[in-house]
């Protein structure tokens, strides 16, 4: 076995082992939610205290900063992580943070339906079975009382190219099964835009208007009107 054959054999095995490790690796811990109900500091203004005008101004500025037009509103951007939509989600998050100070934007992966997720877990097992059959088919087929079919010998004649093809097509199928093609926008738990329904991405102006309309109907609408006026 020359170096080229070793490379063709070792590369698919190495990448396949990497896929298996990634598949069964534990999920990273969730990012803790920021505490939006933080207690005032001990140096804050208290009723009955003879504080200076500077302290009053600082307390007023702190209250204005906390009670922004988007304070208390949560926007969830659920997108297909395997479709490389994270860049779009980060752009929309930056736009919302700038347009509505105090808003809380959450980025989440939108998983595909359960049947597709289940099939994506089976693909690595099929890859292992196909490669194992290719390497040891002479012993596997007789155990089941079968004669190796002619196509088996044709594939085995170019076993290294066949193994590489199994790995490539398997990873392609797994990528398709893990993609949902979604970019869903929720405002306080209510769906405001769905790429699955519209078959397109929202523009920044459109998303700003959709979220702004939701804020105008909430208890923070007065603050939003002051900012836009």
């Amino acid at each position: 076995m020359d170096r080229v054959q070793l490379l063709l054999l070792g590369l698919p095995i190495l990448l396949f082992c990497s896929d298996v490790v990634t598949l069964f690796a534990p999920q990273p811990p969730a990012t803790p939610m920021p505490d939006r109900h933080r207690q005032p500091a001990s140096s804050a203004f208290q009723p009955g205290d003879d504080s200076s005008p500077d302290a009053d101004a600082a307390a007023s500025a702190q209250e204005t900063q906390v009670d922004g037009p988007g304070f208390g509103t949560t926007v969830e951007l659920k997108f297909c992580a395997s479709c490389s939509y994270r860049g779009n989600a980060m752009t929309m998050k930056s736009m919302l943070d700038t347009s509505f100070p105090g808003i809380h934007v959450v980025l989440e992966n939108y998983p595909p339906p359960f049947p597709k997720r289940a099939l994506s877990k089976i693909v690595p097992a099929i890859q292992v079975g196909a490669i194992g059959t290719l390497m040891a088919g002479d012993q596997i087929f007789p155990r089941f009382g079968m004669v190796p079919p002619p196509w088996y010998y044709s594939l085995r004649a170019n076993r290294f190219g066949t193994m590489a093809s199994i790995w490539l097509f398997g990873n392609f199928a797994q990528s398709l099964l893990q993609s949902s093609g979604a970019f869903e926008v929720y405002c306080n738990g209510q769906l405001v835009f769905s790429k699955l329904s519209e078959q397109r991405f929202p523009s920044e102006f459109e998303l700003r208007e959709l979220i702004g309309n939701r804020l105008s109907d909430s208890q923070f609408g007065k603050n939003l009107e002051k900012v836009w006026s």
Side-chain angles (χ1 to χ4, degrees):
M1 186 179 297
D2 57 13
R3 294 182 178 179
V4 176
Q5 291 177 335
L6 286 175
L7 180 62
L8 291 175
L9 176 63
L11 182 60
I13 293 177
L14 176 62
L15 295 176
F16 173 75
C17 293
S18 176
D19 290 342
V20 172
V21 172
T22 304
L23 182 63
F24 295 100
Q27 297 292 332
T31 305
M33 299 286 290
D35 186 7
R36 293 181 174 271
H37 301 285
R38 184 177 300 173
Q39 296 294 331
S42 58
S43 60
F45 174 77
Q46 299 293 336
D49 292 345
D50 296 332
S51 57
S52 62
D54 294 338
D56 295 339
S60 177
Q62 182 180 5
E63 181 180 358
T64 303
Q65 181 178 2
V66 172
D67 194 16
F71 178 75
T73 301
T74 300
V75 175
E76 298 174 86
L77 301 179
K78 299 185 178 182
F79 58 94
C80 174
S82 62
C83 302
S84 301
Y85 291 169
R86 178 171 290 275
N88 299 63
M90 293 298 297
T91 302
M92 295 300 180
K93 180 180 185 302
S94 177
M95 180 273 297
L96 292 175
D97 289 337
T98 304
S99 303
F100 309 105
I103 199 171
H104 181 48
V105 183
V106 181
L107 304 183
E108 296 182 9
N109 178 42
Y110 191 96
F114 176 76
K116 295 182 64 175
R117 295 201 308 268
L119 289 175
S120 68
K121 303 293 185 181
I122 299 175
V123 171
I126 296 177
Q127 288 177 301
V128 173
I131 294 176
T133 303
L134 182 66
M135 298 297 296
D138 292 337
Q139 289 78 29
I140 295 176
F141 285 107
R143 290 182 177 274
F144 291 95
M146 300 171 58
V147 178
W151 56 263
Y152 167 74
Y153 294 104
S154 300
L155 294 177
R156 188 169 181 178
N158 187 21
R159 67 178 66 182
F160 300 107
T162 303
M163 292 173 60
S165 300
I166 291 173
W167 174 79
L168 290 174
F169 283 109
N171 281 13
F172 178 72
Q174 190 175 15
S175 177
L176 287 179
L177 292 172
Q178 290 178 346
S179 63
S180 60
F183 194 89
E184 315 300 290
V185 182
Y186 295 83
C187 182
N188 293 330
Q190 296 182 352
L191 181 65
V192 296
F193 184 87
S194 173
K195 180 180 177 294
L196 296 177
S197 300
E198 301 292 337
Q199 297 298 317
R200 62 178 178 84
F201 283 98
S203 64
E204 293 188 19
F205 178 80
E206 179 183 12
L207 186 59
R208 184 187 297 113
E209 183 178 6
L210 290 173
I211 301 301
N213 292 337
R214 295 285 178 174
L215 292 178
S216 298
D217 296 335
S218 66
Q219 57 181 338
F220 304 99
K222 295 182 179 180
N223 292 333
L224 185 60
E225 293 176 357
K226 292 180 181 178
V227 173
W228 284 356
S229 61

